[in-house]
């Protein structure tokens, strides 16, 4: 029963979230899954590493699709950063490379912090 209640809560959180809150959920998920992938590679858990890297790539695909690149040069640059991260995650997955994940993770965390800060400023 508790697990079912949690799922209802989780679904409601997503269903009633603003666009900004959904974006934050996505970038927070990217950090989470990138960290899970890193640990899975260390643990040599190939399936978990693969699944986590794919989920992170899918998040960046969604971020790329939702980005309006007509809003200016900053949006195009952000799109290119997302594409770079997605490509590196793909390479990390193909090689199960801890080095590549550790290269990309700080970028993912920076994006998360940037969007958190933008959200805070927008709410003021």
């Amino acid at each position: 029963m508790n697990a079912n209640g949690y799922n209802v809560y989780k679904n409601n959180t997503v269903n009633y979230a603003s666009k900004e809150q959904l974006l934050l959920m996505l970038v927070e998920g990217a950090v989470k899954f990138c960290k899970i992938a890193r640990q899975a590679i260390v643990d040599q858990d190939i399936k978990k590493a693969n699944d986590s890297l794919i989920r992170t790539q899918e998040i960046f695909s969604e971020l790329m699709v939702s980005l309006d690149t007509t809003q200016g040069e900053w949006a195009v640059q952000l799109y290119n950063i997302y594409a770079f991260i997605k490509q590196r995650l793909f390479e990390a997955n193909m090689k199960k490379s801890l080095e590549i994940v550790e290269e990309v993770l700080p970028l993912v965390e920076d994006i998360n912090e940037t969007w958190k800060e933008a959200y805070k400023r927008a709410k003021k």
Side-chain angles (χ1 to χ4, degrees), residues 7-116:
N7 287 336
V8 170
Y9 168 78
K10 196 167 136 184
N11 286 338
N12 284 341
T13 301
V14 171
N15 291 335
Y16 295 106
S18 68
K19 289 180 188 178
E20 295 82 7
Q21 290 168 324
L22 288 172
L23 183 123
L24 287 177
M25 287 179 204
L26 282 173
V27 293
E28 287 171 358
V31 171
K32 174 182 142 186
F33 290 116
C34 199
K35 286 181 177 180
I36 290 170
R38 177 181 61 186
Q39 189 59 50
I41 290 171
V42 168
D43 296 341
Q44 297 182 346
D45 185 339
I46 302 304
K47 180 177 180 355
K48 190 173 192 176
N50 178 63
D51 293 347
S52 299
L53 287 166
I54 287 173
R55 288 186 82 172
T56 310
Q57 290 172 62
E58 288 172 345
I59 289 170
F60 277 95
S61 292
E62 186 62 33
L63 290 169
M64 291 167 72
V65 168
S66 66
L67 193 60
D68 183 359
T69 55
T70 64
Q71 294 299 311
E73 184 61 28
W74 68 270
V76 173
Q77 290 175 355
L78 192 55
Y79 182 93
N80 290 335
I81 292 168
Y82 291 166
F84 171 78
I85 290 171
K86 186 177 168 195
Q87 177 60 36
R88 293 300 283 160
L89 289 167
F90 174 79
E91 292 167 12
N93 200 8
M94 295 303 293
K95 300 174 183 176
K96 298 302 180 268
S97 171
L98 182 61
E99 294 78 22
I100 296 173
V101 173
E102 289 181 339
E103 167 197 325
V104 172
L105 182 56
L107 297 173
V108 176
E109 291 173 325
D110 286 348
I111 289 168
N112 184 32
E113 290 305 313
T114 299
W115 281 118
K116 279 183 186 176

